[in-house]
Amino acid sequence: MRLTGTFLLLTALAGPLAAQTISLREALARAERDGFANRGAAGDTRARGADAAASLRGLLPAVRLEGGYVRTTDPLGAFGFLLRQRAVTSEAFDPARLNYPASIGNVGAGAIVEQPLFNADALYGRRAALRASDAARASEAWTRSGTQVAVISAYYGAVLAHEMVQALDTALASALAHQRQAESMHRNGVVTRSDALLAAVRAGEVEARLIGARGDSSLAGARVALAIGAPLDSVRIQATRLPDVAAIRALVGAPLPPEGERPDVRAARLSLEAARADARRAAALLLPRINAFGRLDWNAPGTPFGGDHAWTAGVMLSWSPFSGGSELAGARAAGARRESAAAMAEAAESQAQLDLRSVESRVTVALARMDLAERAVAQSVEAHRIVARKYEGGVASVTDLFDAAAAETGARLAFAQSRFEAIVAAAERLRTRGGDVTAIAILEDARQ
């Protein structure tokens, strides 16, 4: 029983101990391979690629083999088998044998080749399938860049949570020190009992915030694991603090890639091209089809591919100008899909332009807030120090003291938040411009 308890304890501890500490680069690499959205998009791309391969059916030759055995006493069938087997003799023309032949068996085998010559619907169908496959690849690329932004947000969100815990740890230590100071001054008759009670309340508020921050921080690794497609308790982040202002500014100020076509816009454009080709395919169903064929046949009494062979070759034209209206209905449906795809392509282009303006504004605002928050930290630290001296001299109230402490804590938290938002905005800008989002990982080098 004791051994069982020990085993269960070790098993419970094995999960946290087995968690792998990863860098941002490692997280991005794992997400590229294992991210849930990436895997789903890759599966869709492969399915579209298979559809494109299947569209060759109406263009490439088809080869098939046939075989079978038939036995009959049917007069026409029996004489036909004799002809196919090259077994006709003068006795075979005896009227009695012609009218009442003995049963005869035939093993028939054949090799058939069919070559499409002109199938307009297959040509346009092939073009539509290829464009749809290309659109799926572009959509997959957009999904992968979105996963990269999500990983960066989750990773630095975890670092932000860690910094918030540190800031609130410092704030709690300061609040407890102020509480002890207020209690000491109360015992010495310098301040009233309300000061000591209020100090305890304010310290409790800081402790409550710290408990919440620790809870958020404990989930940080799970959020990163979810973003990279790993088991929730399998990873820890390597970074312990956010990059400083200089590193973030250097990243944002680096030369941007030339603005190109975004993958989502490219996917919408290719989908429109696929819809146009599909509309032409539907219209081409009203055109005639021309196909060639050739075959070799063997017939023998009991041996597959036995006896002499015979060949047949020809060209077939088929045309169905009207089949109950199904072609017309299909053409109308394809035209409607083309109009819908055109609207989606225009919407994607407009959305890309709006996103670019929006993200540029976000980056500008994030940098401004980061600068303001950095100055606010220095100012709040100095203000807290001054108020603490005043409180010691009996000039400031305990409320003033804790307000100053809260302002310092808030400034530190806002500074951390502003750096996090600037990093995410920079990642979003790279994605919006069609750049390499993984370039954000250079911040890891700046921290070292």
Side-chain angles (χ1 to χ4, degrees):
M1 188 69 179
R2 182 176 300 174
L3 290 175
T4 301
T6 303
F7 174 77
L8 292 175
L9 178 60
L10 292 175
T11 302
L13 293 175
L17 291 176
Q20 179 186 5
T21 300
I22 61 174
S23 65
L24 177 58
R25 284 188 176 88
E26 292 168 336
L28 289 168
R30 289 187 59 176
E32 180 70 14
R33 181 184 68 250
D34 300 330
F36 297 121
N38 290 0
R39 285 154 54 191
D44 184 63
T45 299
R46 288 193 295 272
R48 292 292 186 178
D51 292 341
S55 67
L56 289 169
R57 182 177 182 181
L59 302 174
L60 296 182
V63 180
R64 70 178 188 274
L65 299 177
E66 295 179 350
Y69 176 80
V70 177
R71 193 168 189 86
T72 184
T73 60
D74 174 67
L76 186 60
F79 193 76
F81 284 163
L82 285 175
L83 287 173
R84 290 191 177 97
Q85 294 171 10
R86 309 303 203 271
V88 176
T89 63
S90 58
E91 290 81 5
F93 291 94
D94 178 59
R97 294 185 64 178
L98 287 174
N99 289 324
Y100 300 98
S103 65
I104 182 173
N106 183 73
V107 177
I112 301 95
V113 177
E114 296 174 342
Q115 173 62 61
L117 298 180
F118 177 75
N119 290 327
D121 59 314
L123 289 170
Y124 286 121
R126 169 67 173 168
R127 185 177 301 175
L130 288 174
R131 294 298 179 271
S133 178
D134 292 340
R137 279 193 293 272
S139 181
E140 179 186 355
W142 183 245
T143 298
R144 289 184 180 279
S145 67
T147 298
Q148 290 168 348
V149 173
V151 169
I152 290 168
S153 179
Y155 193 90
Y156 281 115
V159 182
L160 172 64
H162 181 72
E163 281 207 11
M164 286 187 167
V165 169
Q166 290 180 321
L168 289 170
D169 263 330
T170 301
L172 179 59
S174 176
L176 293 175
H178 291 332
Q179 179 184 350
R180 290 191 295 271
Q181 181 183 16
E183 290 171 349
S184 175
M185 294 175 70
H186 168 59
R187 287 193 296 270
N188 294 328
V190 178
V191 298
T192 64
R193 183 169 180 268
S194 63
D195 278 17
L197 294 175
L198 182 58
V201 171
R202 299 296 288 270
E205 292 174 354
V206 175
E207 185 174 7
R209 291 184 66 185
L210 176 59
I211 292 172
R214 284 175 174 164
D216 289 340
S217 182
S218 67
L219 296 174
R223 294 191 184 100
V224 174
L226 180 64
I228 67 176
L232 293 185
D233 296 324
S234 63
V235 296
R236 293 194 191 96
I237 60 170
Q238 186 179 78
T240 58
R241 62 184 182 86
L242 290 166
D244 57 29
V245 172
I248 295 174
R249 278 203 164 276
L251 171 69
V252 175
L256 290 170
E259 187 178 340
E261 189 178 38
R262 272 182 12 180
D264 62 328
V265 177
R266 184 165 64 255
R269 175 179 57 78
L270 290 169
S271 295
L272 174 57
E273 292 180 11
R276 286 171 175 166
D278 187 60
R280 295 189 183 99
R281 176 203 59 79
L285 290 172
L286 300 174
L287 298 176
R289 299 181 178 88
I290 303 175
N291 298 287
F293 70 93
R295 62 181 297 149
L296 290 174
D297 291 287
W298 289 265
N299 292 274
T303 305
F305 298 98
D308 294 330
H309 69 268
W311 63 265
T312 306
V315 176
M316 295 291 295
L317 183 146
S318 62
W319 185 27
S320 300
F322 186 75
S323 299
S326 60
E327 292 90 347
L328 299 176
R332 286 198 297 269
R337 290 192 293 269
R338 179 186 57 199
E339 293 175 4
S340 175
M344 296 303 294
E346 292 178 15
E349 181 65 35
S350 298
Q351 184 65 52
Q353 295 175 6
L354 177 60
D355 288 348
L356 186 58
R357 295 183 185 181
S358 176
V359 78
E360 291 294 345
S361 175
R362 281 184 56 194
V363 169
T364 301
V365 171
L367 291 178
R369 286 178 175 172
M370 185 173 64
D371 291 340
L372 290 173
E374 185 179 30
R375 289 197 297 270
V377 169
Q379 293 166 349
S380 63
V381 169
E382 180 62 16
H384 186 193
R385 185 190 66 79
I386 293 172
V387 173
R389 295 291 299 273
K390 287 183 176 180
Y391 183 72
E392 292 174 0
V395 178
S397 66
V398 71
T399 300
D400 296 333
L401 179 61
F402 275 92
D403 285 345
E408 179 184 346
T409 301
R412 292 185 184 278
L413 296 178
F415 183 42
Q417 182 70 33
S418 68
R419 284 181 289 157
F420 167 75
E421 291 176 355
I423 293 170
V424 175
E428 286 283 5
R429 183 171 67 165
L430 285 171
R431 183 186 188 224
T432 300
R433 294 179 64 93
D436 181 13
V437 180
T438 61
I440 298 295
I442 197 173
L443 291 174
E444 289 190 311
D445 302 330
R447 287 190 305 100
Q448 293 174 355

